[in-house]
Amino acid sequence: MSQSDRTPRVRLVDVARAAGVSKTTVSDALNGAGRLPAATREHVQKVARALGYRPNATARLLRAGHTRLLGLAAREYVETPWVYADLAYFSQIVTATTQAALAHGYGVVLLPTYGPDDCWLDIPLDGVFVIDPVEGDPMVRDFLAAGVPVVADRRALAEVPVETREAGRWVDFDYGAAVRQVLDHLEAAGAERIAVVAGATTACFHQQSVRAYHEWCAEQGREPRIACLPAPGVEHTLQAVTELLAAPAPPDALFTLVELSPPLLLDTIRRLGRSVPGDLLLACTTEDSAACYTDPPISTLSFLPGETAQAAVDLLVDRLEGREGDPGHLFSADFRVRASSAVPERRGARRG
Amino acid sequence: MSQSDRTPRVRLVDVARAAGVSKTTVSDALNGAGRLPAATREHVQKVARALGYRPNATARLLRAGHTRLLGLAAREYVETPWVYADLAYFSQIVTATTQAALAHGYGVVLLPTYGPDDCWLDIPLDGVFVIDPVEGDPMVRDFLAAGVPVVADRRALAEVPVETREAGRWVDFDYGAAVRQVLDHLEAAGAERIAVVAGATTACFHQQSVRAYHEWCAEQGREPRIACLPAPGVEHTLQAVTELLAAPAPPDALFTLVELSPPLLLDTIRRLGRSVPGDLLLACTTEDSAACYTDPPISTLSFLPGETAQAAVDLLVDRLEGREGDPGHLFSADFRVRASSAVPERRGARRG
DNA sequence: TTGAAAGCGTTACCAG
DNA sequence: CTGGTAACGCTTTCAA
């Protein structure tokens, strides 16, 4: 690959010349194809090894017509240069995607989320998994227009010209339903003023969940108490929590929709003088497994990154290998009620 | 890319035919090369757009002779199929590598850590960053033999045939020194029985750090108290901690060398009936930023994933773009003393 | 200004 | 059983 080398790589033809045979024979000998006599095969292999020959991967790909490379992009915070390290959700998506891809013999390329438009089109990809596409996402549009199969969410696919849609597959959640499930639970547990921390992006998840919260509030005749963060970050998130809890007639429940270390959030709430669940019911959208080890364990809403990634890869690979599969897969979020949003009795007991 | 399509992709030559010009003209018109009259250029562009033409990435790469793709592999737990999601260190390495690569116009491919030997050689890579190579790592050997520049640690490079070593660069730490620094600190803070949780792999980091601990114990005439984990995982790690603390004459200091959520560890220690730093001094090797928000804040040892990744990419890119740069970069670990391993006064006060 | 043709390094088809 | 030769799809040099 390296062009800057003084010594150019040894090519198939070099081996052929050195071994006194043709390119075909070398190719066959090395790939176990054809029916060469063992002697020829071994001779060629020896020469190849002696010369340090390695096939050029790019040339093989051009020949093969596919690259067995899948792209992965997290688009939620397109503006801010890549911030997914602290986000357990994206970490787990990356891991699970890589594992699933590997199991099918595919590699995974982490795609740029920002930067010169179209730069992603220079990467030789067989398919792409786009997580949290933004509204009218150009990446989804471009790949689909280029005929590269894409897995995204239903909205992203609906936004794309119908004639390019054929290569699109989707994985999706009913985000609104998930949010309402948590709100209903908190209300049933006695919460009257539920505060929410959400993201201020055009990703489907945040748009739908914020909308669901507002609708829910309207139905219940309640005043929304919501902080929308334009970017992730521990500082800002804790700050938002602090401000929400400092409001006059402070909330008696908190529901976070952005990732934040659960033990840390718990600790912060305590330092603000509130007990959980005594003064404040708590439910977190998180993939951090630490949530069930805290005291009290924290109720969590999970969007199943492992399952999602697995499904996305399967969808992509089915399409790539010519199998007619499902057009997509709808998941249900996983809400686990734990002691942090406990039943009303306990709260009444404490206060009475 | 997708071969399974009924409708084969439209190629350069198709556009040329449709526009009534030659391939050259199309290429020039689309790439802004040559000095075509504006009319021709626009005409070609219009036809290309109408046909939905997208250049084939693989073919361009073959022509270009490079792929602008960098491989990234975490080799520490080669046996276990990819377990880096919960590990803040690897997450941050991935993010930082991607960012740094992007800044140079390179993409990043996540490499398989296990699976059919050599399968990584089929991926068209310009360079590779191998984190925590194992002893005699075949991945490092193969890429170097193939003339693909590699960044790893010094040991990995030393193990490779000298004639292929030219394409190797390194980033490294003096792990032993880092470990001794922490042990010395804990001792100065009054610890007499320091327990350690480490990994049982052949990665440089674990080998050197475990050795340093044993040497330090020997020098001090102390009995080592160490748990070595063959694989990561919250359960196992907490279990190891529990066992170490349950020993007769229990340790008065704990130093973890494997990643574990700091707030969670603190919580666990407390549930075992020990206070930090009162009963137990605590220092963690971790990249989790939550460590400085706990109460008490936790002393941490960091191996600077951000800086390491940045340096690795720079080393790779310098080599690829023909610049003569450094052969490698030696880092010093970042040890931050916080209240969890506080000065002896406080411990005396509590106990007296 | 435009086009024909020569690569890039591999694999695969067919003659010999 | 082997070796020429034609793709794969693009860029670029060089003539016209």
Side-chain angles (χ1 to χ4, degrees):
Chain A
M1 301 280 89
S2 155
Q3 289 290 291
S4 58
D5 252 330
R6 277 92 190 91
T7 51
R9 286 255 319 249
V10 13
R11 297 160 304 165
L12 188 67
V13 62
D14 300 320
V15 178
R17 261 196 283 271
V21 296
S22 78
K23 298 198 299 175
T24 311
T25 307
V26 176
S27 181
D28 285 350
L30 263 27
N31 296 331
R35 288 175 310 288
L36 306 177
T40 311
R41 188 163 306 225
E42 276 160 30
H43 174 234
V44 169
Q45 284 171 351
K46 189 180 303 180
V47 172
R49 196 161 16 231
L51 261 46
Y53 167 73
R54 307 284 158 150
N56 178 303
T58 308
R60 311 183 95 169
L61 296 184
L62 179 58
R63 193 80 248 288
H66 60 249
T67 63
R68 301 204 164 273
L69 245 28
L70 262 24
L72 175 62
R75 302 281 291 167
E76 181 164 2
Y77 298 99
V78 191
E79 311 300 335
T80 34
W82 266 74
V83 273
Y84 89 98
D86 311 314
L87 273 30
Y89 178 74
F90 291 123
S91 285
Q92 292 183 221
I93 283 274
V94 171
T95 308
T97 303
T98 307
Q99 265 185 211
L102 239 50
H104 289 288
Y106 286 74
V108 171
V109 181
L110 264 19
L111 260 26
T113 59
Y114 69 111
D117 275 0
D118 298 24
C119 64
W120 45 71
L121 287 176
D122 289 338
I123 304 177
L125 263 21
D126 279 353
V128 187
F129 177 24
V130 180
I131 302 151
D132 287 325
V134 297
E135 224 168 337
D137 203 305
M139 189 183 270
V140 173
R141 187 188 7 86
D142 287 352
F143 276 118
L144 248 15
V148 177
V150 169
V151 168
D153 59 35
R154 286 170 298 178
R155 185 192 63 178
L157 261 28
E159 287 171 352
V160 123
V162 63
E163 67 274 16
T164 67
R165 210 173 289 168
E166 182 263 347
R169 299 287 183 273
W170 52 266
V171 287
D172 219 343
F173 285 83
D174 185 340
Y175 298 114
V179 166
R180 278 188 294 274
Q181 182 185 4
V182 176
L183 294 171
D184 287 342
H185 159 77
L186 291 172
E187 192 205 19
E192 289 172 0
R193 296 176 301 281
I194 304 176
V196 162
V197 181
T201 75
T202 67
C204 223
F205 167 53
H206 280 133
Q207 291 203 325
Q208 288 188 205
S209 54
V210 168
R211 174 134 49 90
Y213 175 64
H214 279 114
E215 284 172 3
W216 187 88
C217 285
E219 287 162 21
Q220 308 278 329
R222 298 184 178 192
E223 200 62 31
R225 299 151 172 266
I226 186 166
C228 289
L229 306 171
V234 177
E235 293 288 354
H236 288 146
T237 314
L238 290 180
Q239 167 95 19
V241 168
T242 305
E243 283 167 16
L244 281 171
L245 296 191
D252 52 11
L254 177 65
F255 177 22
T256 57
L257 286 163
V258 294
E259 186 77 58
L260 179 64
S261 164
L264 184 57
L265 175 57
L266 201 54
D267 202 45
T268 303
I269 291 170
R270 282 185 185 137
R271 269 179 278 175
L272 290 170
R274 314 291 170 83
S275 72
V276 173
D279 302 322
L280 188 75
L281 301 178
L282 180 61
C284 296
T285 306
T286 183
E287 307 301 331
D288 189 334
S289 57
C292 60
Y293 295 104
T294 56
D295 180 29
I298 299 174
S299 300
T300 54
L301 183 65
S302 161
F303 287 97
L304 309 172
E307 285 86 336
T308 306
Q310 174 73 251
V313 170
D314 289 346
L315 251 12
L316 242 20
V317 172
D318 275 354
R319 175 59 168 61
L320 289 170
E321 300 182 351
R323 287 185 292 274
E324 290 299 332
D326 302 327
H329 198 309
L330 183 63
F331 287 91
S332 289
D334 182 36
F335 182 42
R336 306 263 171 131
V337 177
R338 301 200 181 88
S340 73
S341 61
V343 288
E345 288 79 28
R346 222 179 123 189
R347 304 183 70 218
R350 279 253 194 144
R351 287 196 168 169
Chain B
M1 300 285 86
S2 155
Q3 289 290 291
S4 58
D5 253 329
R6 276 93 189 89
T7 51
R9 286 256 317 252
V10 12
R11 297 160 304 164
L12 188 66
V13 61
D14 299 321
V15 178
R17 262 196 283 271
V21 296
S22 77
K23 297 200 300 174
T24 313
T25 307
V26 176
S27 180
D28 286 349
L30 262 27
N31 296 330
R35 287 176 310 288
L36 309 175
T40 311
R41 186 161 306 220
E42 277 160 29
H43 175 234
V44 170
Q45 284 170 349
K46 189 179 303 179
V47 173
R49 195 158 19 229
L51 260 46
Y53 168 73
R54 305 285 159 151
N56 177 304
T58 309
R60 309 183 93 168
L61 295 185
L62 180 58
R63 193 77 245 288
H66 61 249
T67 62
R68 299 204 163 274
L69 246 29
L70 262 25
L72 175 62
R75 302 281 289 167
E76 181 162 4
Y77 298 99
V78 191
E79 311 301 334
T80 34
W82 267 77
V83 274
Y84 88 98
D86 311 315
L87 273 28
Y89 177 76
F90 291 124
S91 284
Q92 291 182 221
I93 283 276
V94 171
T95 309
T97 303
T98 308
Q99 264 184 214
L102 240 51
H104 289 289
Y106 286 74
V108 171
V109 181
L110 264 20
L111 261 26
T113 59
Y114 70 106
D117 275 1
D118 298 24
C119 65
W120 44 71
L121 287 175
D122 289 339
I123 304 177
L125 262 21
D126 280 352
V128 186
F129 178 24
V130 180
I131 303 152
D132 287 325
V134 296
E135 226 169 333
D137 202 306
M139 189 183 269
V140 173
R141 185 188 8 87
D142 287 352
F143 277 118
L144 248 16
V148 177
V150 168
V151 169
D153 58 34
R154 286 169 297 177
R155 183 192 64 176
L157 261 29
E159 288 171 349
V160 122
V162 63
E163 66 273 18
T164 68
R165 209 174 290 168
E166 181 263 346
R169 298 287 183 274
W170 52 265
V171 288
D172 219 342
F173 285 84
D174 185 341
Y175 298 114
V179 166
R180 279 188 293 274
Q181 183 185 4
V182 176
L183 294 172
D184 287 341
H185 159 78
L186 291 173
E187 192 204 21
E192 288 169 3
R193 296 176 301 280
I194 305 175
V196 162
V197 182
T201 74
T202 66
C204 224
F205 167 51
H206 280 133
Q207 290 204 325
Q208 290 188 204
S209 54
V210 169
R211 173 136 48 92
Y213 174 63
H214 280 113
E215 284 171 3
W216 187 88
C217 285
E219 286 161 22
Q220 309 278 327
R222 300 185 176 192
E223 200 61 32
R225 299 152 170 267
I226 186 166
C228 288
L229 306 171
V234 177
E235 293 289 353
H236 288 145
T237 313
L238 291 181
Q239 167 94 19
V241 169
T242 305
E243 284 167 17
L244 282 171
L245 296 191
D252 52 10
L254 177 65
F255 177 23
T256 57
L257 285 163
V258 295
E259 187 78 59
L260 179 64
S261 165
L264 184 56
L265 176 56
L266 201 54
D267 202 45
T268 304
I269 292 171
R270 281 186 184 137
R271 268 179 279 172
L272 291 170
R274 315 289 168 86
S275 73
V276 173
D279 303 320
L280 188 76
L281 300 178
L282 180 62
C284 296
T285 306
T286 184
E287 308 300 330
D288 190 333
S289 57
C292 61
Y293 294 105
T294 55
D295 180 27
I298 299 175
S299 300
T300 55
L301 182 65
S302 161
F303 288 97
L304 310 171
E307 284 86 338
T308 306
Q310 175 74 250
V313 170
D314 289 346
L315 250 14
L316 242 20
V317 172
D318 275 353
R319 174 60 168 61
L320 289 170
E321 299 183 351
R323 287 185 291 275
E324 292 299 334
D326 301 326
H329 199 308
L330 183 63
F331 287 92
S332 290
D334 183 36
F335 181 43
R336 306 264 172 131
V337 177
R338 302 201 181 88
S340 73
S341 59
V343 288
E345 288 77 31
R346 222 178 125 189
R347 305 181 71 215
R350 279 251 194 145
R351 288 196 168 168

